[in-house]
Amino acid sequence: MTDASALRDCGLPCLIFSEDAALCDIRGPIGEMPELSSPGELRHMFLKRLGRSREGFLRFCAAPCSGPDCRIYRLAPPGEVRAAFAEKAVLLSTPVTAVFLASSPTAFHRLMSPASRYASDAVNRILFELMALTDGGSPAFSSLSPELFAVVRRIPHLAEALFARRCSVRCCDLAQILETVAETVKSLPAFGNCRIRLSEEHSSARENPMFAELPVEAFVSVLTVLLGLAADLTADGGLELTLIDHGAVRETELRFRSDRMPRTQGEEGGDALYALPADFHSRIRYLTALCVLTSMDLAVSCPSFHHPEEDGAVRSVSLSLLVGGEPPPVLDFKYDEPERCAPAVVSETAALFADES
């Protein structure tokens, strides 16, 4: 848990929010932010740039300080500040939420001391090392020290891809990626009672393959965690993966029915999943942080399905992973079947959380 000393010494600009999400203090240089006439305007701008993660952030501010807990957010443009790290803190015996700002989420490793209680959790330690190693430029994977390699050895294929130039962003056929991932997870014990159905929705009558440039290994790893969550939460074993063409943006929607998911306020960001019990939180922290690190977007929607006010009501859940934003790539002969990496990434990601699911 962050204290007043950490707020002074980390070197990052910081916004201090009260339990009701009022902006009550500003620490450090806010030069990257546009000049605003009042804290109220700065608060409004920050909440606006959170996008669909706004409601989740407000809930986080209101949550009690019960132990090490943090959220990582991607901020929408404009502006040079593109990421935020929110953590519970205590100032003068008052619980607050400290929000650190940076141009890249990799800067947040300085807030996650490897000696802290926070980093004693394997997933948190892995996220710390990934951010620390990629801060200011990606190192050659082959040059990692034995100590650092020991930390990332549990996810070697993903780690090597993240250290590569542009986080191993490659052109791929998303349908083939989904087919390979779905086929691979079927062999995992956690999916023994699940049925996975694949489909596509195109934005035009002409159904061309949906190609996109994306961080393939990170996409596969996040999709594996999402499928694992769905397998644990499904009420009837049915999981539906739909690839949706929005033009420049490609959406992979995972839909299932569950009696364990609370309602969301319309469509929210990935941290809406923190409403699930604490034994899900390591997986949620992993996938939300990985999305921020690799510029993917996660959306959660869980409207009422039968009885809106009843606990345990069966609801239709939608978890959407969005990639793109640029025009689809023009293919050439360099296309290299990136779906081949999927089985190895699925296996190492599933093994990372095998004891928690």
Side-chain angles (χ1 to χ4, degrees), residues 127-183:
L127 293 174
F128 163 78
E129 294 293 353
L130 291 179
M131 286 191 279
L133 291 169
T134 54
D135 188 29
S138 300
F141 190 70
S142 59
S143 67
L144 295 183
S145 68
E147 293 79 13
L148 293 179
F149 188 82
V151 173
V152 299
R153 74 183 186 277
R154 296 182 66 180
I155 49 167
H157 295 86
L158 174 62
E160 184 170 10
L162 291 178
F163 299 154
R165 183 175 177 269
R166 296 182 66 223
C167 291
S168 193
V169 173
R170 289 176 286 165
C171 176
C172 69
D173 182 337
L174 281 173
Q176 290 187 5
I177 295 286
L178 264 58
E179 288 173 8
T180 306
V181 170
E183 191 61 34

Side-chain angles (χ1 to χ4, degrees), residues 13 15 23 26 29-46 48-49 75-82 101:
L15 308 179
L23 180 58
I26 300 172
I30 310 289
E32 302 92 337
M33 305 287 285
E35 291 187 6
L36 298 171
S37 61
S38 72
E41 290 187 21
L42 181 55
R43 174 186 182 274
H44 173 76
M45 179 180 178
F46 173 74
K48 182 178 181 181
R49 291 184 62 190
L75 301 181
E80 295 181 9
V81 174
R82 303 304 298 272
L101 305 171

Side-chain angles (χ1 to χ4, degrees), residues 6-14 27-29 32 100-101 110-111:
L7 295 180
R8 287 194 301 269
D9 297 339
C10 74
L12 296 173
C14 179
R27 304 287 182 91
E32 302 92 337
F100 301 90
L101 305 171
R110 69 189 73 172
L111 303 168

Side-chain angles (χ1 to χ4, degrees), residues 4-251:
S5 175
L7 295 180
R8 287 194 301 269
D9 297 339
C10 74
L12 296 173
C14 179
L15 308 179
I16 309 297
F17 289 87
S18 65
E19 290 179 297
D20 60 357
L23 180 58
C24 53
D25 198 3
I26 300 172
R27 304 287 182 91
I30 310 289
E32 302 92 337
M33 305 287 285
E35 291 187 6
L36 298 171
S37 61
S38 72
E41 290 187 21
L42 181 55
R43 174 186 182 274
H44 173 76
M45 179 180 178
F46 173 74
L47 294 178
K48 182 178 181 181
R49 291 184 62 190
L50 282 174
R52 61 170 63 93
S53 295
R54 179 181 183 275
E55 293 299 324
F57 173 74
L58 297 178
R59 286 194 298 270
F60 185 60
C61 288
C65 291
S66 56
D69 199 3
C70 73
R71 304 283 188 272
I72 300 177
Y73 300 101
R74 185 154 57 102
L75 301 181
E80 295 181 9
V81 174
R82 303 304 298 272
F85 181 101
E87 187 172 16
K88 307 304 290 187
V90 176
L91 294 177
L92 301 176
S93 301
T94 301
V96 297
T97 298
V99 177
F100 301 90
L101 305 171
S103 59
S104 168
T106 61
F108 297 142
H109 70 87
R110 69 189 73 172
L111 303 168
M112 302 164 62
S113 167
S116 71
R117 245 177 69 198
Y118 174 89
S120 64
D121 176 89
V123 171
N124 291 333
R125 182 60 190 262
I126 285 172
L127 293 174
F128 163 78
E129 294 293 353
L130 291 179
M131 286 191 279
L133 291 169
T134 54
D135 188 29
S138 300
F141 190 70
S142 59
S143 67
L144 295 183
S145 68
E147 293 79 13
L148 293 179
F149 188 82
V151 173
V152 299
R153 74 183 186 277
R154 296 182 66 180
I155 49 167
H157 295 86
L158 174 62
E160 184 170 10
L162 291 178
F163 299 154
R165 183 175 177 269
R166 296 182 66 223
C167 291
S168 193
V169 173
R170 289 176 286 165
C171 176
C172 69
D173 182 337
L174 281 173
Q176 290 187 5
I177 295 286
L178 264 58
E179 288 173 8
T180 306
V181 170
E183 191 61 34
T184 304
V185 300
K186 286 178 183 177
S187 64
L188 301 176
F191 294 86
N193 296 320
C194 293
R195 306 172 306 280
I196 302 177
R197 178 175 176 269
L198 302 177
S199 62
E200 295 186 28
E201 295 180 7
H202 292 258
S203 60
S204 63
R206 185 178 180 182
E207 297 189 358
N208 293 320
M210 291 192 209
F211 289 96
E213 286 190 334
L214 74 160
V216 181
E217 287 81 0
F219 177 84
V220 170
S221 190
V222 169
L223 184 58
T224 300
V225 176
L226 290 175
L227 284 166
L229 287 173
D232 286 347
L233 295 170
T234 177
D236 55 16
L239 309 180
E240 184 171 357
L241 273 175
T242 303
L243 187 57
I244 304 173
D245 176 14
H246 296 291
V249 174
R250 311 298 201 194
E251 174 183 359

